[in-house]
Short mmCIF file of all heavy atoms in Angstrom, two decimals:
data_model
loop_
_atom_site.label_atom_id
_atom_site.label_comp_id
_atom_site.label_asym_id
_atom_site.label_seq_id
_atom_site.Cartn_x
_atom_site.Cartn_y
_atom_site.Cartn_z
N GLN A 1 6.58 12.18 1.13
CA GLN A 1 7.38 12.00 2.31
C GLN A 1 8.27 10.77 2.26
O GLN A 1 8.99 10.48 3.23
CB GLN A 1 6.45 11.94 3.55
CG GLN A 1 5.64 13.20 3.80
CD GLN A 1 4.72 13.04 4.99
OE1 GLN A 1 4.38 11.95 5.44
NE2 GLN A 1 4.28 14.20 5.50
N GLY A 2 8.26 10.07 1.16
CA GLY A 2 9.09 8.89 1.00
C GLY A 2 8.45 7.59 1.42
O GLY A 2 9.05 6.52 1.31
N ASN A 3 7.17 7.62 1.88
CA ASN A 3 6.46 6.41 2.25
C ASN A 3 6.06 5.67 0.97
O ASN A 3 5.91 6.25 -0.10
CB ASN A 3 5.20 6.75 3.06
CG ASN A 3 5.56 7.40 4.36
OD1 ASN A 3 6.37 6.90 5.14
ND2 ASN A 3 4.94 8.54 4.64
N LEU A 4 5.87 4.36 1.09
CA LEU A 4 5.64 3.48 -0.06
C LEU A 4 4.29 2.77 0.07
O LEU A 4 3.86 2.44 1.15
CB LEU A 4 6.75 2.43 -0.15
CG LEU A 4 8.17 2.99 -0.25
CD1 LEU A 4 9.21 1.87 -0.11
CD2 LEU A 4 8.39 3.74 -1.56
N TYR A 5 3.63 2.51 -1.11
CA TYR A 5 2.32 1.88 -1.17
C TYR A 5 2.32 0.89 -2.31
O TYR A 5 2.72 1.21 -3.44
CB TYR A 5 1.23 2.94 -1.40
CG TYR A 5 1.26 4.06 -0.37
CD1 TYR A 5 2.17 5.12 -0.53
CD2 TYR A 5 0.44 4.05 0.74
CE1 TYR A 5 2.22 6.14 0.38
CE2 TYR A 5 0.47 5.11 1.68
CZ TYR A 5 1.40 6.15 1.49
OH TYR A 5 1.45 7.17 2.42
N PHE A 6 1.80 -0.34 -2.06
CA PHE A 6 1.75 -1.35 -3.12
C PHE A 6 0.68 -2.39 -2.81
O PHE A 6 0.19 -2.50 -1.70
CB PHE A 6 3.12 -2.05 -3.24
CG PHE A 6 3.51 -2.88 -2.06
CD1 PHE A 6 3.24 -4.24 -2.02
CD2 PHE A 6 4.13 -2.30 -0.96
CE1 PHE A 6 3.60 -5.00 -0.92
CE2 PHE A 6 4.49 -3.06 0.16
CZ PHE A 6 4.22 -4.42 0.19
N GLY A 7 0.26 -3.09 -3.87
CA GLY A 7 -0.68 -4.17 -3.73
C GLY A 7 0.03 -5.49 -3.93
O GLY A 7 1.14 -5.58 -4.46
N ALA A 8 -0.62 -6.62 -3.47
CA ALA A 8 -0.03 -7.92 -3.56
C ALA A 8 -1.06 -9.01 -3.81
O ALA A 8 -2.28 -8.71 -3.75
CB ALA A 8 0.75 -8.23 -2.26
N GLN A 9 -0.60 -10.19 -4.08
CA GLN A 9 -1.51 -11.28 -4.43
C GLN A 9 -2.10 -11.97 -3.22
O GLN A 9 -2.78 -13.00 -3.34
CB GLN A 9 -0.80 -12.30 -5.36
CG GLN A 9 -0.53 -11.72 -6.72
CD GLN A 9 0.11 -12.71 -7.70
OE1 GLN A 9 0.53 -13.77 -7.30
NE2 GLN A 9 0.17 -12.32 -8.94
N ASP A 10 -1.86 -11.44 -2.02
CA ASP A 10 -2.55 -11.91 -0.83
C ASP A 10 -3.84 -11.03 -0.61
O ASP A 10 -4.37 -11.01 0.49
CB ASP A 10 -1.67 -11.92 0.40
CG ASP A 10 -1.19 -10.51 0.78
OD1 ASP A 10 -1.39 -9.55 0.00
OD2 ASP A 10 -0.66 -10.34 1.90
N ASP A 11 -4.24 -10.31 -1.65
CA ASP A 11 -5.50 -9.54 -1.68
C ASP A 11 -5.39 -8.23 -0.89
O ASP A 11 -6.40 -7.63 -0.60
CB ASP A 11 -6.67 -10.34 -1.14
CG ASP A 11 -6.93 -11.63 -1.87
OD1 ASP A 11 -6.31 -11.85 -2.93
OD2 ASP A 11 -7.77 -12.44 -1.40
N ALA A 12 -4.18 -7.82 -0.56
CA ALA A 12 -4.02 -6.67 0.32
C ALA A 12 -3.31 -5.51 -0.37
O ALA A 12 -2.54 -5.67 -1.32
CB ALA A 12 -3.26 -7.06 1.58
N VAL A 13 -3.54 -4.30 0.18
CA VAL A 13 -2.76 -3.12 -0.13
C VAL A 13 -1.94 -2.79 1.12
O VAL A 13 -2.47 -2.76 2.22
CB VAL A 13 -3.67 -1.93 -0.52
CG1 VAL A 13 -2.82 -0.68 -0.79
CG2 VAL A 13 -4.51 -2.27 -1.73
N TYR A 14 -0.65 -2.52 0.91
CA TYR A 14 0.26 -2.25 2.02
C TYR A 14 0.81 -0.84 1.94
O TYR A 14 0.96 -0.28 0.86
CB TYR A 14 1.46 -3.21 1.99
CG TYR A 14 1.16 -4.65 2.32
CD1 TYR A 14 0.73 -5.54 1.36
CD2 TYR A 14 1.40 -5.15 3.61
CE1 TYR A 14 0.50 -6.88 1.66
CE2 TYR A 14 1.18 -6.48 3.94
CZ TYR A 14 0.72 -7.35 2.95
OH TYR A 14 0.51 -8.66 3.24
N SER A 15 1.24 -0.34 3.10
CA SER A 15 2.07 0.87 3.15
C SER A 15 3.27 0.61 4.05
O SER A 15 3.13 -0.02 5.13
CB SER A 15 1.28 2.07 3.66
OG SER A 15 2.12 3.23 3.77
N LEU A 16 4.44 1.06 3.61
CA LEU A 16 5.67 0.96 4.38
C LEU A 16 6.29 2.34 4.52
O LEU A 16 6.03 3.25 3.72
CB LEU A 16 6.67 0.05 3.65
CG LEU A 16 6.22 -1.31 3.16
CD1 LEU A 16 7.37 -2.00 2.42
CD2 LEU A 16 5.75 -2.20 4.32
N THR A 17 7.17 2.49 5.51
CA THR A 17 7.99 3.69 5.59
C THR A 17 9.08 3.60 4.53
O THR A 17 9.31 2.55 3.91
CB THR A 17 8.61 3.85 6.97
OG1 THR A 17 9.60 2.84 7.13
CG2 THR A 17 7.56 3.74 8.07
N ALA A 18 9.85 4.67 4.39
CA ALA A 18 10.96 4.66 3.47
C ALA A 18 12.04 3.69 3.90
O ALA A 18 12.89 3.29 3.09
CB ALA A 18 11.56 6.07 3.35
N ARG A 19 12.03 3.29 5.19
CA ARG A 19 12.98 2.30 5.68
C ARG A 19 12.47 0.86 5.52
O ARG A 19 13.13 -0.07 5.92
CB ARG A 19 13.26 2.56 7.15
CG ARG A 19 14.18 3.78 7.42
CD ARG A 19 14.42 3.92 8.88
NE ARG A 19 15.44 4.93 9.15
CZ ARG A 19 15.81 5.28 10.39
NH1 ARG A 19 15.26 4.70 11.45
NH2 ARG A 19 16.74 6.19 10.56
N GLY A 20 11.28 0.72 4.99
CA GLY A 20 10.71 -0.63 4.80
C GLY A 20 9.97 -1.16 6.01
O GLY A 20 9.62 -2.34 6.07
N ALA A 21 9.66 -0.27 7.00
CA ALA A 21 8.88 -0.72 8.16
C ALA A 21 7.39 -0.68 7.85
O ALA A 21 6.91 0.19 7.17
CB ALA A 21 9.21 0.18 9.39
N PHE A 22 6.66 -1.63 8.40
CA PHE A 22 5.25 -1.77 8.16
C PHE A 22 4.49 -0.58 8.75
O PHE A 22 4.70 -0.19 9.90
CB PHE A 22 4.75 -3.07 8.81
CG PHE A 22 3.28 -3.23 8.75
CD1 PHE A 22 2.64 -3.59 7.57
CD2 PHE A 22 2.50 -3.11 9.88
CE1 PHE A 22 1.27 -3.78 7.52
CE2 PHE A 22 1.14 -3.29 9.86
CZ PHE A 22 0.50 -3.62 8.65
N ARG A 23 3.59 0.04 7.96
CA ARG A 23 2.71 1.12 8.43
C ARG A 23 1.27 0.63 8.54
O ARG A 23 0.64 0.75 9.57
CB ARG A 23 2.75 2.29 7.45
CG ARG A 23 4.08 3.00 7.35
CD ARG A 23 4.03 4.14 6.35
NE ARG A 23 3.38 5.29 6.89
CZ ARG A 23 2.59 6.12 6.16
NH1 ARG A 23 2.32 5.83 4.92
NH2 ARG A 23 2.06 7.18 6.71
N TRP A 24 0.71 0.07 7.43
CA TRP A 24 -0.65 -0.45 7.49
C TRP A 24 -0.91 -1.44 6.36
O TRP A 24 -0.11 -1.52 5.39
CB TRP A 24 -1.67 0.65 7.50
CG TRP A 24 -1.65 1.67 6.36
CD1 TRP A 24 -1.21 2.97 6.46
CD2 TRP A 24 -2.14 1.53 5.03
NE1 TRP A 24 -1.34 3.60 5.25
CE2 TRP A 24 -1.94 2.75 4.35
CE3 TRP A 24 -2.73 0.48 4.32
CZ2 TRP A 24 -2.28 2.99 3.02
CZ3 TRP A 24 -3.10 0.68 2.99
CH2 TRP A 24 -2.87 1.90 2.33
N LYS A 25 -2.00 -2.16 6.50
CA LYS A 25 -2.42 -3.17 5.55
C LYS A 25 -3.95 -3.11 5.47
O LYS A 25 -4.62 -3.10 6.48
CB LYS A 25 -1.95 -4.52 5.97
CG LYS A 25 -2.50 -5.71 5.15
CD LYS A 25 -1.95 -7.02 5.74
CE LYS A 25 -2.48 -8.23 5.02
NZ LYS A 25 -1.93 -9.48 5.52
N ALA A 26 -4.49 -3.06 4.23
CA ALA A 26 -5.95 -3.02 4.02
C ALA A 26 -6.34 -4.12 3.05
O ALA A 26 -5.65 -4.35 2.04
CB ALA A 26 -6.39 -1.68 3.49
N MET A 27 -7.46 -4.82 3.32
CA MET A 27 -7.83 -5.98 2.59
C MET A 27 -8.89 -5.73 1.50
O MET A 27 -9.88 -5.04 1.73
CB MET A 27 -8.37 -7.06 3.52
CG MET A 27 -7.38 -7.59 4.52
SD MET A 27 -5.92 -8.34 3.76
CE MET A 27 -6.67 -9.66 2.80
N THR A 28 -8.66 -6.28 0.30
CA THR A 28 -9.68 -6.38 -0.74
C THR A 28 -10.13 -7.84 -0.84
O THR A 28 -9.80 -8.64 0.02
CB THR A 28 -9.12 -5.89 -2.10
OG1 THR A 28 -8.30 -6.93 -2.68
CG2 THR A 28 -8.31 -4.63 -1.96
N ALA A 29 -10.88 -8.16 -1.88
CA ALA A 29 -11.36 -9.54 -2.06
C ALA A 29 -10.72 -10.22 -3.27
O ALA A 29 -11.25 -11.19 -3.77
CB ALA A 29 -12.89 -9.56 -2.14
N GLY A 30 -9.59 -9.70 -3.73
CA GLY A 30 -8.91 -10.30 -4.84
C GLY A 30 -7.46 -9.85 -4.94
O GLY A 30 -7.04 -8.91 -4.23
N ASP A 31 -6.68 -10.49 -5.80
CA ASP A 31 -5.31 -10.09 -6.00
C ASP A 31 -5.27 -8.62 -6.40
O ASP A 31 -6.09 -8.11 -7.16
CB ASP A 31 -4.64 -10.89 -7.14
CG ASP A 31 -4.51 -12.38 -6.80
OD1 ASP A 31 -4.77 -12.73 -5.65
OD2 ASP A 31 -4.13 -13.13 -7.73
N VAL A 32 -4.21 -7.92 -5.88
CA VAL A 32 -3.99 -6.54 -6.29
C VAL A 32 -2.70 -6.51 -7.10
O VAL A 32 -1.62 -6.25 -6.59
CB VAL A 32 -3.89 -5.60 -5.07
CG1 VAL A 32 -3.77 -4.14 -5.53
CG2 VAL A 32 -5.14 -5.77 -4.18
N ASP A 33 -2.82 -6.83 -8.39
CA ASP A 33 -1.69 -6.83 -9.30
C ASP A 33 -1.46 -5.46 -9.92
O ASP A 33 -0.38 -5.17 -10.41
CB ASP A 33 -1.91 -7.85 -10.42
CG ASP A 33 -1.70 -9.30 -9.94
OD1 ASP A 33 -0.89 -9.51 -9.06
OD2 ASP A 33 -2.42 -10.18 -10.44
N ALA A 34 -2.54 -4.66 -10.01
CA ALA A 34 -2.44 -3.37 -10.65
C ALA A 34 -1.63 -2.39 -9.76
O ALA A 34 -1.73 -2.44 -8.54
CB ALA A 34 -3.85 -2.79 -10.86
N PRO A 35 -0.83 -1.49 -10.39
CA PRO A 35 -0.16 -0.51 -9.58
C PRO A 35 -1.20 0.40 -8.88
O PRO A 35 -2.21 0.75 -9.46
CB PRO A 35 0.62 0.33 -10.61
CG PRO A 35 0.75 -0.59 -11.82
CD PRO A 35 -0.50 -1.41 -11.81
N VAL A 36 -0.95 0.69 -7.61
CA VAL A 36 -1.80 1.63 -6.86
C VAL A 36 -1.34 3.05 -7.19
O VAL A 36 -0.18 3.26 -7.47
CB VAL A 36 -1.83 1.33 -5.39
CG1 VAL A 36 -2.29 -0.10 -5.11
CG2 VAL A 36 -0.46 1.57 -4.74
N VAL A 37 -2.27 4.00 -7.06
CA VAL A 37 -1.90 5.39 -7.38
C VAL A 37 -2.47 6.30 -6.30
O VAL A 37 -3.50 6.02 -5.68
CB VAL A 37 -2.46 5.82 -8.76
CG1 VAL A 37 -1.80 5.03 -9.89
CG2 VAL A 37 -3.97 5.68 -8.82
N ILE A 38 -1.77 7.43 -6.08
CA ILE A 38 -2.24 8.47 -5.17
C ILE A 38 -2.75 9.58 -6.02
O ILE A 38 -2.00 10.19 -6.81
CB ILE A 38 -1.10 8.94 -4.24
CG1 ILE A 38 -0.46 7.76 -3.55
CG2 ILE A 38 -1.63 9.95 -3.20
CD1 ILE A 38 0.81 8.10 -2.77
N VAL A 39 -4.05 9.91 -5.92
CA VAL A 39 -4.66 10.89 -6.83
C VAL A 39 -4.72 12.29 -6.23
O VAL A 39 -4.91 13.28 -6.97
CB VAL A 39 -6.06 10.44 -7.29
CG1 VAL A 39 -5.98 9.19 -8.11
CG2 VAL A 39 -6.98 10.20 -6.08
N SER A 40 -4.60 12.39 -4.94
CA SER A 40 -4.50 13.69 -4.23
C SER A 40 -4.04 13.42 -2.84
O SER A 40 -3.89 12.24 -2.41
CB SER A 40 -5.89 14.42 -4.22
OG SER A 40 -6.83 13.62 -3.53
N ASP A 41 -3.74 14.47 -2.06
CA ASP A 41 -3.22 14.23 -0.71
C ASP A 41 -4.23 13.38 0.09
O ASP A 41 -5.40 13.69 0.22
CB ASP A 41 -3.03 15.57 0.02
CG ASP A 41 -1.72 16.26 -0.43
OD1 ASP A 41 -0.77 15.56 -0.86
OD2 ASP A 41 -1.67 17.49 -0.34
N GLY A 42 -3.71 12.26 0.60
CA GLY A 42 -4.50 11.40 1.46
C GLY A 42 -5.47 10.49 0.74
O GLY A 42 -6.28 9.83 1.42
N VAL A 43 -5.43 10.42 -0.58
CA VAL A 43 -6.40 9.61 -1.34
C VAL A 43 -5.65 8.66 -2.28
O VAL A 43 -4.92 9.13 -3.18
CB VAL A 43 -7.39 10.47 -2.14
CG1 VAL A 43 -8.40 9.57 -2.89
CG2 VAL A 43 -8.12 11.44 -1.24
N LEU A 44 -5.83 7.35 -2.08
CA LEU A 44 -5.17 6.33 -2.86
C LEU A 44 -6.23 5.47 -3.55
O LEU A 44 -7.28 5.17 -2.96
CB LEU A 44 -4.28 5.48 -1.98
CG LEU A 44 -3.47 4.35 -2.57
CD1 LEU A 44 -2.14 4.22 -1.85
CD2 LEU A 44 -4.24 3.01 -2.49
#
């Protein structure tokens, strides 16, 4: 649908709309330098 998902060094995974608007943020306990992947509908 054009939505975007990425990790960052503030220990979080983010999702944005295609316009760059914030959708959600989820916290891990370490830097997320690795590319995130979507393995099936609704599963990242």
Side-chain angles (χ1 to χ4, degrees):
Q1 296 178 341
N3 298 309
L4 303 171
Y5 307 81
F6 65 95
Q9 291 182 351
D10 64 348
D11 303 350
V13 178
Y14 290 85
S15 177
L16 310 177
T17 70
R19 286 181 171 179
F22 175 74
R23 295 179 77 217
W24 55 255
K25 172 182 179 178
M27 295 302 300
T28 76
D31 294 352
V32 184
D33 285 327
V36 302
V37 296
I38 307 171
V39 294
S40 61
D41 281 334
V43 181
L44 180 145

